[in-house]
Structure formats: structure tokens, C-alpha cells
Amino acid sequence: MIDQFVIFEKGGTVLWSRSFVPIKGDPVAMLVRSVLLEDRLSIPELNVNNYTLRWQLDNQRGLIFVVVFQKQLPPPYADDLLAAVRQHFSNVEFPTAESFNPDRDFSSFSPTFESILKTSERKADAASKLTRTSAQPHKSKAKNVKNRKLLSEDTPDSQQNGSADEHQNEGENNAEDSLSPEEQLKRRREAFLARRGGRGRRTAGVANRERTKQTSAEPSTDASSRKKVIRPSTKSIQTDLASLDFSEGKPTDIVADDREARKFREQYLDGPRNKAYDDILNSEGEGDEDHDEDDESDGDDTNQSRTAGLFNYFKGLAGMRSLTRADLNPVMEKFRDGLVAKNVAKDIADKLIESVVASLEGKTMESMTSVSTIVRRALDEALTRILTPRQSTDILAEIASNKGARPYVIAYCGVNGVGKSTSLAKTCYYLLNHGHKVMIAACDTFRAGAVEQLRTHVKCLGRGVELFDRGYGKDAAAVAADAIRKAKELKYNVVLVDTAGRMQDNEPLMRALAKLVEVNRPDRLFFVGEALVGNDAVDQLTKFNAALTDHQSGASPRLIDGIILTKFDTIDDKVGAAVSMVYTTGQPIVFIGIGQTYMDLRRMNTRSLVKALLK
Ligand code: GDP
């Protein structure tokens, strides 16, 4: 039995939907957020709470068909139903993409859906009867018992009641054998919902009422939701590509009055300004030129040198009508290799490519446009979607709007030597240049020399910054709490918390970090990772988050919510680690370190990064 069927177009407008039972939460919105927007179309299905969602795309018309059912009760006809609805809807209701009119009412599709559903159910029924008659009777009974056990293992309540109900269920089970598979499913589902206790029973009751209501009256289409837009337009995400270079701020007053501070000053303030990545990080607008050039005929000589590189290879495959997997595969192979060569993790490159293929298959080609151009555009869009932060990464704006009772707190974590303290000092320099008063909390109470390193940074950074330290061997969580209290007292509006470097598998140190985070609830918890190590950083980040979840006691553990990628200046154009990290964690890259001076910190420019990846 299915719970819901939804048809929507890629812009987000729901064209038609039908719910058979009240739906808990919004699983389809979750599908849009975590699969469509994240370009994970290559996964076969999605589980959201108790639901499983399967889908099919009609790329030519830009339609998405989604069936939602209970995870424990997958209807055998789900795929058949999807295919049949897709075929009918695409051919009859929506013959061409041009025929789409957002005001059109698709409620007349409801009776047709009913009959397609019945046909799919009947087909599955007949197929299973055939299997049943050819199977040994004792085997089918054994299977029923096994299925029932599997079902009850999933539900703690039913485990408790399991043995008491066992004989009664056995009897029911024998009776079940005489029912059709669909009736059996329905029956087991009702029994399952009833076993889930009061809430489940109520849901089942509502479900039955709903079902009765809907089958006795006009088939109910969620007309009110027909024009419901279930996700923000990707346009708004893509247009947020403001210039991100903030390095022109005035330098702060330097108080470097001892030899060590002078050495630091040379290293962090006067060192050669690294320009290697300015091109990648700050070339605004050029990406748009690329798109214009893509739209032109492939034979334009003047553009050839500008489109040189990997993607030139595919030019010339023009004039096909509808894209097939066979057209796309050889082209996609090269794009995959290109991404892997840029240091995108192989499995992530595979998933990305597979989702682009899924989004293009069946799409009609514009005339005089090569497969390479179409793929490049689709991949560009997919990468832009992945890399564009879902939430603000504007720390200055967040600090400005912090009207809380305490200063704005940022904590830094990561393994040893990745550039945590340097990135903290660079952020401090940035904040001082924007008029903030910063207290640095020396919470690496573990590594000898860590406090002195910060003290020297503070001397170099000049006015407006103070170090709070309690020496070594102290509880880092308590030191951070004292620093925040002191900063509030002295009217510092930002506290930057340095923490000890730790390997992701070091349990005692991860426990201490979790405590620091849980006790002090920083406004931002930055993970600092090297662009250099690339995919190892993905492993580190994943394990940091897992440990933070495990070692915090509250219901909503505070996790990493921003990434600083350091040493970008050492990786040539192998910028793929950025994609791997964001794809894996969904967290934005807030800053990029491009050298050893205080000025070598940038906010990430999505457009430029995508350009570098596709060069
Ligand atoms: P921590 O142990 O994580 O606190 O690491 P540190 O802040 O002490 O940095 C370790 C080394 O990495 C130092 O030599 C830094 O100068 C260097 N470093 C930090 N960030 C960058 C960067 O963006 N580029 C380069 N080239 N070096 C960096």
C-alpha cells in the first residue's frame, strides 16, 4: 500500500498529489533538499523517518514522480506504478515541455491515477499468486513467520509483546494464507500500526477513515497544494555570488617589541603576499562569459583558446535529438577523470557524474549544441549547487546582529599542524580590521608552547585583542567558560577559542572537545582542515562530527558548522577537496587559507572554484 504519490516539476510546483493517509512531516521536501538539490540522484531510494521514497524523472519535460510508502512495507508494485504514471502523465497530460502552464489544474488526472494504481496492484497480485501456487506451501508459511519476525524486530514495543501474541499471530497467519498479497500487506500493516501503541492505533484509525472518505467520495487530490512550491528556486542560490575579497582593509597597529614578535611580524605580516590563488578566488564574472561562449556554435575559432583544456575534447558531437545514456557515457567518463584529477574523491565524482547523467537522460538537445556543452553546463550547475552555502557564511553580519547576553564565540578544532592557530590569528586580524574587540581563549592546555604561540600572535596583532590563558593541564571547557565571562565583563564582543589539535580517533581528547562545545555552546564551531590532504580531511571531519555526537549528552548536540580549508596555496589547481568536504558534510567552507601571513585568508568564491574545477 502506498502512502502518497506526488508529481511536481523541477521549478518546484506540485502539479498533482494524492495522500492515502496523513503524512508525518514532509518527506517529499526532504527528497528535494537532500537528493535533488544535492545532486544525489544516483541513489535508488531515500528513507525519511518511517517512509521510503522512490522516484522517476522525465528530464525532457522537467517532471519528477515520487511514490512514498512505509519503510517496513514496500509495495511490490511501486516501480511499476511509477513507470505507468510517468508514461501516462508525460504522454497524455503533459505532451510537451512547452505545454506546461503553471495555472493548469490537473485534478482531472485523479480517476486515471486510481485506475493505473488498481492495474498495478492487480498485476503484482497476479504475479505473486503465480509464485505462490508454484511454491511449496510450507515454504510460504515459513516466509510469513520470518517476515513477521523481521517486522517485530524493528519495533521495540512489539518486541516486548511479541511472545504473548505469538500464538494468536500464528492463527492469524494461517488465515492470512488465504488472502491476496495486497490484502495480506494491508492486514499486516494494520496489525503493525496497532502494535505501535496508542499513537500508531490513532494513525491507523485516521488512515482508515481517510481511506474510506477518499474512496467513497470523489478521489481527493490535494488541490490546495497543487501550486505549492516545495523548494526555493535554485536561481536565488546561484545569484548570491558577491565579490568575496576582503583583503584591502587597513592593517592594524602593530606592537612588535621583542625579537620573537618581530620574527612573527616578518612571517605573518610582511611575508610575500601569495597571489597564486587570487585568480581562483577572486575572478568575478568570468564564469558568465564562459556560459555565453558555450551557447555559441562549437566551431568558433576565437573562443577556442579560452575553452582549451579538458572540455575541448568533447566538442563536435552536435545535432542529436534526445540524449541517451550511450551518448552521455563516453563524455561523462572524461569529466569524471577531470574531477578526480582535480582531487575530488573518486566515489564522490562517481555519484556526481551519475546524478548529472540521470538529470540529462532523455532531455532534448538544442540544435547546434554539443553533448560536451550540455554536460559542462549541467555539471557546472550541479557543482554550484553543492558548493553554494545553504546558510550565511558572513561572520561579520552574524557578529553585528549578535544581541545576545554574551560575546559572539567561535571555536576552532582539527588535527595537529593543519593551521588552527594561524587561521584563528588570521580571523582575528580580519575582525580587528572591521572594528571588533577580540579576546583569544587559549584552550589548548595540552601542547607545550601552544599558549606562548598565541601570546606572540596577540603581540603582533596589536590593539583590540587580548589573550586569556590559564596555563597548561587545566580543563579546556572551564578555561573557555572563564574567558567568555571575562570577555563579557571587559566588553570584548568576540571570543576566539583555540583548542588542542587531536586525531579524530583519540577518544579522551575528543571527549574533552565535546565537553568544551557542550558547556560553552559556541556560535560557530569551525573545523580546520588542509586542502592538501584532501580526502583524508573528509574522513577527519566525519569522525569529528561522529565523536561530537557520541560524547554530548543533550538531545541536540552541537556539531561542526563551518570549514576553514588551509594551505590552498600549495595545491596548484587541485581544488577538489573543497567539493568532497562540502558534499560529504553539507557544511559550507567559510574561509580559505592561501598563505602564512595574516592577510592570506579569503572567503570562498563559488563561481571561481567551479571554474577551476572545470578548467
Ligand atoms: P595548528 O597546530 O593546527 O595550530 O597549526 P599552526 O597554526 O601552528 O600551523 C602549522 C603550520 O601551517 C604553520 O607553519 C603555518 O604557518 C602553516 N599554515 C597555516 N595556514 C597556512 C596556509 O594557508 N598556507 C600555508 N602555506 N601555510 C599555512
Side-chain angles (χ1 to χ4, degrees):
M1 190 191 292
I2 66 170
D3 287 26
Q4 193 182 32
F5 199 103
V6 182
I7 305 172
F8 59 96
E9 59 88 35
K10 279 183 177 167
T13 309
V14 174
L15 303 181
W16 183 90
S17 83
R18 169 85 189 267
S19 302
F20 293 90
V21 289
I23 300 293
K24 233 172 115 187
D26 197 347
V28 177
M30 188 59 85
L31 168 76
V32 172
R33 270 200 302 278
S34 59
V35 175
L36 303 181
L37 286 181
E38 303 274 335
D39 279 283
R40 292 171 207 261
L41 282 166
S42 55
I43 61 170
E45 59 183 32
L46 177 75
N47 288 328
V48 180
N49 301 325
N50 286 331
Y51 300 111
T52 295
L53 287 83
R54 281 195 209 152
W55 56 91
Q56 282 197 7
L57 309 182
D58 177 342
N59 290 317
Q60 205 165 351
R61 295 167 183 80
L63 300 180
I64 297 152
F65 301 81
V66 185
V67 62
V68 183
F69 48 85
Q70 291 285 322
K71 199 158 50 182
Q72 295 89 344
L73 298 166
Y77 52 83
D79 294 326
D80 184 58
L81 176 68
L82 271 172
V85 171
R86 183 190 150 190
Q87 197 188 22
H88 173 90
F89 199 85
S90 296
N91 293 339
V92 179
E93 310 284 340
F94 207 120
T96 60
E98 291 72 45
S99 63
F100 175 56
N101 167 5
D103 293 328
R104 195 177 145 193
D105 181 1
F106 285 95
S107 57
S108 60
F109 174 63
S110 297
T112 313
F113 177 83
E114 276 292 314
S115 89
I116 296 174
L117 175 62
K118 280 205 178 88
T119 310
S120 294
E121 284 173 345
R122 261 200 309 271
K123 263 163 64 185
D125 207 0
S128 106
K129 267 191 188 130
L130 210 65
T131 326
R132 246 180 342 136
T133 46
S134 60
Q136 294 291 324
H138 71 272
K139 273 193 188 159
S140 103
K141 188 175 169 190
K143 200 166 151 212
N144 274 338
V145 172
K146 196 170 147 219
N147 284 347
R148 202 182 64 238
K149 276 194 178 146
L150 276 178
L151 204 64
S152 57
E153 269 160 22
D154 273 335
T155 54
D157 291 355
S158 63
Q159 266 173 10
Q160 284 161 19
N161 302 334
S163 59
D165 293 344
E166 200 65 37
H167 290 293
Q168 189 190 338
N169 286 345
E170 192 71 42
E172 280 173 11
N173 212 51
N174 289 337
E176 259 192 4
D177 277 353
S178 60
L179 299 174
S180 74
E182 178 58 17
E183 286 163 333
Q184 284 181 26
L185 273 180
K186 203 163 136 193
R187 197 160 161 177
R188 276 185 232 151
R189 180 179 185 179
E190 279 162 10
F192 166 70
L193 289 171
R195 271 203 299 274
R196 280 191 355 194
R199 197 155 158 220
R201 263 191 291 277
R202 204 170 55 243
T203 311
V206 174
N208 287 337
R209 272 203 306 283
E210 182 90 357
R211 174 99 189 165
T212 319
K213 198 174 80 193
Q214 289 185 350
T215 44
S216 60
E218 283 277 308
S220 123
T221 301
D222 294 355
S224 60
S225 66
R226 194 179 57 78
K227 285 185 221 151
K228 183 180 141 200
V229 175
I230 56 179
R231 69 168 174 79
S233 160
T234 51
K235 221 191 269 171
S236 64
I237 298 169
Q238 288 166 5
T239 49
D240 185 22
L241 298 168
S243 174
L244 300 171
D245 184 7
F246 56 79
S247 63
E248 300 309 320
K250 59 180 177 13
T252 47
D253 202 357
I254 307 300
V255 186
D257 54 5
D258 62 37
R259 272 181 60 199
E260 203 184 357
R262 220 170 298 129
K263 210 174 92 210
F264 256 61
R265 179 194 154 106
E266 276 163 25
Q267 183 180 353
Y268 289 100
L269 279 167
D270 299 335
R273 174 80 186 281
N274 196 313
K275 294 255 173 216
Y277 280 81
D278 282 8
D279 281 350
I280 287 185
L281 300 168
N282 297 313
S283 48
E284 275 299 315
E286 287 174 40
D288 297 339
E289 278 176 39
D290 280 359
H291 280 291
D292 292 341
E293 127 199 346
D294 282 343
D295 291 340
E296 289 168 20
S297 156
D298 291 331
D300 187 343
D301 281 349
T302 53
N303 287 327
Q304 289 224 332
S305 60
R306 287 155 71 208
T307 52
L310 175 66
F311 302 99
N312 254 351
Y313 182 89
F314 307 106
K315 293 203 163 225
L317 296 169
M320 276 169 268
R321 259 205 46 53
S322 190
L323 282 167
T324 65
R325 203 161 260 268
D327 303 326
L328 293 164
N329 276 348
V331 181
M332 299 313 292
E333 196 96 326
K334 294 288 169 189
F335 276 89
R336 182 192 347 255
D337 293 349
L339 290 174
V340 172
K342 292 277 162 72
N343 210 17
V344 176
K346 193 175 167 310
D347 59 324
I348 290 170
D350 285 344
K351 283 183 199 152
L352 197 57
I353 292 292
E354 185 47 45
S355 81
V356 170
V357 172
S359 74
L360 288 178
E361 209 179 347
K363 214 170 192 164
T364 310
M365 286 182 68
E366 299 154 40
S367 61
M368 296 309 290
T369 309
S370 69
V371 177
S372 75
T373 300
I374 293 173
V375 169
R376 187 188 202 285
R377 252 188 250 151
L379 202 50
D380 188 307
E381 277 170 23
L383 287 166
T384 304
R385 263 198 307 276
I386 290 167
L387 289 168
T388 302
R390 306 267 175 273
Q391 72 269 38
S392 165
T393 56
D394 187 348
I395 302 301
L396 291 177
E398 283 183 25
I399 295 172
S401 62
N402 175 37
K403 305 281 181 255
R406 64 171 205 172
Y408 188 86
V409 180
I410 306 176
Y412 297 72
C413 66
V415 307
N416 268 318
V418 290
K420 279 184 309 303
S421 314
T422 309
S423 299
L424 180 148
K426 286 175 181 175
T427 324
C428 183
Y429 176 78
Y430 171 53
L431 296 174
L432 293 173
N433 281 335
H434 284 86
H436 294 293
K437 280 186 76 190
V438 183
M439 178 164 278
I440 295 177
C443 297
D444 180 355
T445 58
F446 191 71
R447 179 177 65 89
V451 177
E452 289 71 20
Q453 186 183 356
L454 286 178
R455 188 167 297 127
T456 316
H457 274 308
V458 166
K459 275 186 188 161
C460 272
L461 284 163
R463 283 195 212 117
V465 54
E466 185 175 325
L467 182 72
F468 182 94
D469 84 275
R470 289 273 182 262
Y472 296 97
K474 302 279 170 3
D475 175 18
V479 177
D482 287 349
I484 295 167
R485 215 169 298 121
K486 188 79 180 170
K488 186 181 168 195
E489 215 176 285
L490 299 177
K491 303 219 175 326
Y492 285 86
N493 63 333
V494 184
V495 178
L496 303 180
V497 181
D498 188 34
T499 66
R502 63 204 82 212
M503 289 310 290
Q504 61 271 32
D505 301 314
N506 184 328
E507 206 198 305
L509 283 180
M510 288 310 304
R511 204 179 279 281
L513 177 67
K515 182 179 173 196
L516 183 147
V517 168
E518 188 166 23
V519 169
N520 294 289
R521 309 292 294 179
D523 296 277
R524 283 282 185 156
L525 177 57
F526 285 160
F527 175 83
V528 185
E530 286 177 336
L532 198 64
V533 297
N535 303 316
D536 283 353
V538 175
D539 180 57
Q540 289 165 12
L541 208 171
T542 314
K543 288 187 173 154
F544 262 71
N545 258 342
L548 285 169
T549 311
D550 289 349
H551 301 311
Q552 287 181 66
S553 52
S556 52
R558 195 68 189 73
L559 302 179
I560 287 157
D561 50 18
I563 299 165
I564 299 184
L565 259 190
T566 60
K567 311 189 187 180
F568 234 66
D569 50 311
T570 62
I571 54 167
D572 291 331
D573 61 350
K574 295 191 177 5
V575 294
V579 179
S580 307
M581 291 181 87
V582 176
Y583 188 92
T584 311
T585 63
Q587 293 305 328
I589 294 173
V590 180
F591 290 121
I592 284 176
I594 57 162
Q596 301 194 25
T597 77
Y598 293 143
M599 284 85 82
D600 290 326
L601 188 70
R602 298 284 183 281
R603 286 176 64 192
M604 193 185 74
N605 182 322
T606 306
R607 182 77 246 127
S608 305
L609 197 67
V610 171
K611 240 188 98 192
L613 282 162
L614 295 182
K615 231 178 204 158

